[in-house]
Amino acid sequence: MASDIAAHPDSAVGEIAARTRLPQSQVFTAVGPLREAGSVRTVPDPADRRRMLVRQAVETSERVARVRATDITAALASALGTDDPARLRGVTAALGMLAAALTPTPPRPRPARPMECMRPGRRPTCGSARVRPSGPPFGNAANAVGQNTAARSRT
């Protein structure tokens, strides 16, 4: 998520959620600790003051600088039980490939429908097998119920 924020500054939480395919509630919950750690800044959206835009912090916090400076070689050597440089390079490369494979790709945008396919207050009609029928919302059944009620009230 942090890499998405860095790549797409001034994004709303919903936009970050759509790109990362994470639930919006999870993105919203994660932004708070990132803001407190100094990794990101939030600012009100000038177009809609109810929304907050998230951007990467300009200055690097002490915590972020410490994490970036940490070398994983010692931890890997301890976990693997060896300090063989070739083995450590191989595992580091494998971890990089795994991280790349697990990084979500943004969803492809859906093609826009031509304006002539859109009718106000109705579903699209072009290229769709499901077209809303015209007439009353429940078809003739609503009229039949109304007629039966009227017939009963006359008797």
Side-chain angles (χ1 to χ4, degrees), residues 24-116:
Q24 187 167 341
S25 60
Q26 188 175 357
V27 173
F28 181 80
T29 302
V31 166
L34 288 172
R35 185 180 55 234
E36 289 172 15
S39 298
V40 300
R41 297 279 182 246
T42 56
V43 295
D45 184 347
D48 182 355
R49 304 298 268 173
R50 296 171 295 175
R51 288 180 5 146
M52 296 300 284
L53 301 179
V54 184
R55 65 174 67 143
Q56 188 175 21
V58 176
E59 66 283 346
T60 302
S61 70
E62 180 183 323
R63 182 174 180 268
V64 171
R66 193 174 46 236
V67 168
R68 287 180 182 164
T70 303
D71 184 23
I72 65 165
T73 306
L76 282 177
S78 174
L80 295 171
T82 180
D83 59 355
D84 176 31
R87 176 99 166 117
L88 294 174
R89 277 193 306 276
V91 170
T92 302
L95 289 173
M97 289 181 1
L98 179 62
L102 295 177
T103 301
T105 57
R108 293 187 348 223
R110 297 171 68 185
R113 292 185 181 266
M115 287 306 292
E116 63 269 10

Side-chain angles (χ1 to χ4, degrees), residues 108-136:
R108 293 187 348 223
R110 297 171 68 185
R113 292 185 181 266
M115 287 306 292
E116 63 269 10
C117 293
M118 303 302 287
R119 297 186 333 218
R122 302 262 178 155
R123 290 184 181 164
T125 57
C126 296
S128 173
R130 295 174 47 195
V131 177
R132 178 183 274 177
S134 60

